[in-house]
Amino acid sequence: MYRTNTCGELRKENIGTTVTLAGWVQTVRKFGAITFVDLRDRYGITQLLFGESLNTKLEEQPIGREYVIQVVGTVTERSNKNLHIPTGEIEINVTSFSILNKSAVPPFTIQDDTDGGDDLRMKYRFLDLRRNAVKKNLELRYAVNRSVRNYMHENLFMDIETPFLIKSTPEGARDFVVPSRMNPGQFYALPQSPQTFKQLLMVSGYDRYYQIVKCFRDEDLRADRQPEFTQIDCEMTFVEQEDILNMFEGLVKRVFKDVKNIDYTDRVERMTWEDAMWQYGNDKPDIRYGMQVLNLKSAFRKGGKITATGDLINGAGFGVFDNAETVLAIAVPGCAEYTRKQTDELTEWVKRPQIGMQGLVYIKCNVDGTYKSSVDKFYSEEKLKAIADAAGAVAGDLVLIVAGREERTRKAISDLRLELGKRLGLRKDNEFKLLWVLDFPLFEYAEDENRWVARHHPFTSPKPDHIEVMINNNPAIENADKYLEHPYSNIKANAYDLVLNGNEIGGGSIRIYQRSLQEKMFAALGMSEEEALHKFGFLLGAFEYGAPPHGGIAFGFDRLCSILGGSESIRDFIAFPKNNSGRDVMLDAPSTIDDKQFEELQIKLNFK
Ligand code: ASP
């Protein structure tokens, strides 16, 4: 028997027992004739004491960091207790030991605060995974996995696997493709998600499906994306949006309870996409704090509740505001006392290329009731007060204003709001706030292709009272500059996103389930009939055989874990992640293949 106990298990109650332990050597400390070793395994660390009688053997067979050893000994009380670890009151008085395997000196220390840089840790990920910090993340991931499976099982969902080798139908991201040796010149694609399969399963009558499943997208990898990532993919039959929202906010609440012991009793808030964009400049707002965006002027808003307050800023002779497409403000609580240096720093912050603003205007709402601004020259104190009031500022607040092109300015104010939320400690790791964002636009205008693309995906249904608009209007866009005036830009989708602390953790929709409407949708996206049949004939065909109404959602599993773990990086929660260039530096993949493989695949490389 290799071991009687783990390295995390023994306590004072075990004193006097003889045990056998096996594990990795964390540290070796020699004090005169005595040697202390910390022995580590997945469960913890136990201190070993090698007395004088073992010195000769230790000299003959020295042990070093990360050696795998086995020891036999007696559990004894420690004179020098370490109450920071659960096994800290005991040690093992070793009577015999054997080295099961040696270790080369590891390239970095296997400790919480390691000296290994990112690249080194990834190259030796099997060593990095020995570190407690990484292990904790994987344990959390497993806890989330178990919690999800329990909830889904209790709610009658069936886990059904779907294939990885499928047909390439790129829409949105690029597909990863896999050549087929048996069908030379032909390729499979790896699924970007099991979307069409789960819909087919609904047609087949498996009315509650889920899967914790790998998805593959060949995208340019922005900071925290992975080319292969995991979704909790779900689909239900005979449901309306409300059913889905209830079922899946239940899932996330259950995960909060099981994994974090948090009772999320608050009602999950809901907001339309339009309100999210206008009140936060962003379709996944962090609602743990206020600081809502005020539109001082806007070129675009049509309908809706929020009115721009253009009259407060226009016509004062301040060209930047007068000529801007949009002017947006936030009131930052308690920051009226910012020094010149601080406001200058914020100005530089918004001028960085990632944000791309020309400048930043501020209004200080001083506690003595006066108003001081960087544009005093143009605006009277009453005007400044009126703007500050409209932005919801109170005495002591700092109003920040940016101006420019609609889309960029909106993003800038949203980024600024998030940055200040972080700096002011308003985005707390241990506070969780869920939000459903609803009523997304069905279409987005793709400027480079001059056509409509599906904002979610082409299987998403329009709101019932918008179907007519879709059917009765020609999708063609005559004047690209005026695409917002096309009726399609007002069509809303039966789509929803679940947002947690400013991150989209899940998104889905109620689907189209009638062949004719699905065909109209493909046509609206500029697909010819032949192309639609070629790509999605199987689905259109299935819709003719009793397809039931259905809808679903998919959660980003890696992201959910990282938020629950209080980390910004999903990589920390993936056992073997890829780096920012999509490489596995441990395997050195992707890599070239043998000539023989090329030959079998009948593929010739042809790039300059
Ligand atoms: N398949 C969708 C996605 O990956 C999610 C859904 O609509 O269920 O975004």
Side-chain angles (χ1 to χ4, degrees), residues 427-473:
R427 309 181 66 193
K428 301 189 192 81
D429 271 355
N430 54 1
E431 190 187 351
F432 296 99
K433 217 60 217 236
L434 288 165
L435 168 75
W436 283 112
V437 177
L438 307 171
D439 302 348
F440 279 81
L442 186 66
F443 298 112
E444 234 167 37
Y445 174 62
E447 224 168 308
D448 44 346
E449 299 170 67
N450 189 35
R451 67 169 183 108
W452 299 102
V453 292
R455 207 196 135 90
H456 187 49
H457 52 55
F459 316 107
T460 295
S461 62
K463 291 267 173 218
D465 40 353
H466 292 187
I467 293 178
E468 293 290 306
V469 184
M470 184 176 116
I471 294 177
N472 296 335
N473 285 285

Side-chain angles (χ1 to χ4, degrees), residues 193 195 198 217 231 233 235 456-457 507-509 511 552-554:
S193 84
Q195 184 61 37
K198 65 175 174 175
R217 295 183 192 174
Q231 282 190 346
D233 190 44
E235 196 76 6
H456 187 49
H457 52 55
S509 61
R511 324 297 185 191
I553 190 167

Side-chain angles (χ1 to χ4, degrees), residues 26-42:
Q26 172 92 17
T27 53
V28 182
R29 300 184 307 274
K30 215 166 157 35
F31 288 103
I34 295 175
T35 304
F36 289 105
V37 168
D38 279 347
L39 192 67
R40 183 191 67 235
D41 67 9
R42 187 183 137 194

Side-chain angles (χ1 to χ4, degrees), residues 96-112:
S96 67
F97 75 93
S98 57
I99 294 174
L100 300 178
N101 211 346
K102 290 183 179 177
S103 167
V105 176
F108 51 86
T109 51
I110 313 291
Q111 277 166 357
D112 284 5

